[in-house]
Amino acid sequence: MTLNPRAAWFASWIALTALTGCESALTGNEGNFQFSYEADDRVNDFNKPLAVGASLDLEVRDVGARQPVTLSAADFAEAGVLEVSTFADQNITITGVGEGTALLEVEGTTANGQTLTDSVNLQSRIPEVLELRHTCSDGAEAAYLTNARAYVPFELEMSNGQPVIGYGYYPLDDVTGVTVNRSDSNQTHIALDAGGTSATVTLSSTIDDTTLDVVLVSEAEIDGITEPIAWVIEDIDVGDTNPFYVLPTAMGRTICQANVTKTVVSSTPEICTIRERDPVPGSGDGTFEFGWFDVTGVAAGTCEYVVTYPGGDGGAGVSATFTFPIEP
């Protein structure tokens, strides 16, 4: 089966989203405990370097039933590289404080009452490359709403392409118009709090020459609507329900993460019905997008529907009509 051409890039995006929520895991040096953390890069490689200045949450389980361990001690054998920020129950938060490698040593009690020790080697590095992109556009520029929180996907790497992991270290210059939320514990997206003034803001890396343009616009500046993208394998048959995705635009720019009032109404209810739907669940880009709705085929014919952003055009509203075929 082939994918509807209009959904080609959407399929790649969904595939990337599906890769999130995985974990990297490794059995400790003594073979008693398993150490793991949530990962989105090279999941099979546990010992990716933690960025100096970043934190990482580890979980400790026994290697047999993989039940959580109750930790009674956790510390690094070496000083000045990695530190244990906190530990409780089976969870440990570590922070990179300098470049190098260090041995994390732990003691804990398993679910069956055994008190055991184990250790794992970890490393910390100063990243050399920052990658930034938008959640709704492949271009170097996209729009976001004023007075809202936006999430910008990012990657940290060494110059040889090795991923560098962790949260809380976001190497961006301070800039007027948006505030980087450096307390956010997100390993895949940088949280930005947008100000209330429409403007073009350039995010600039402090470790390389990477930049990303963020155009801040108000809901009232919405003046158009993107062509909806259908997540459809070949076609929509009678009785099928398929998700669609649409976003508003302003001055020719797609507005990412537009969490504003939107209506979608079928003009041909005898052919198709429409219902709103939540963003795609998970930890990928779909979590942050709000342009989703479902189309259900009722009878064969041309499904016609109207998308409206009531707050657009200074409050007068912006609407557009779209169609999609429903097959028998």
Side-chain angles (χ1 to χ4, degrees), residues 24-38:
S24 288
L26 184 71
T27 298
N29 296 318
E30 299 175 37
N32 292 322
F33 298 151
Q34 182 192 69
F35 298 82
S36 64
Y37 59 86
E38 290 189 4

Side-chain angles (χ1 to χ4, degrees), residues 210-229:
T210 296
T211 62
L212 190 77
D213 287 335
V214 172
V215 182
L216 301 179
V217 299
S218 67
E219 181 180 3
E221 292 178 274
I222 294 172
D223 58 15
I225 300 172
T226 62
E227 177 77 20
I229 295 172

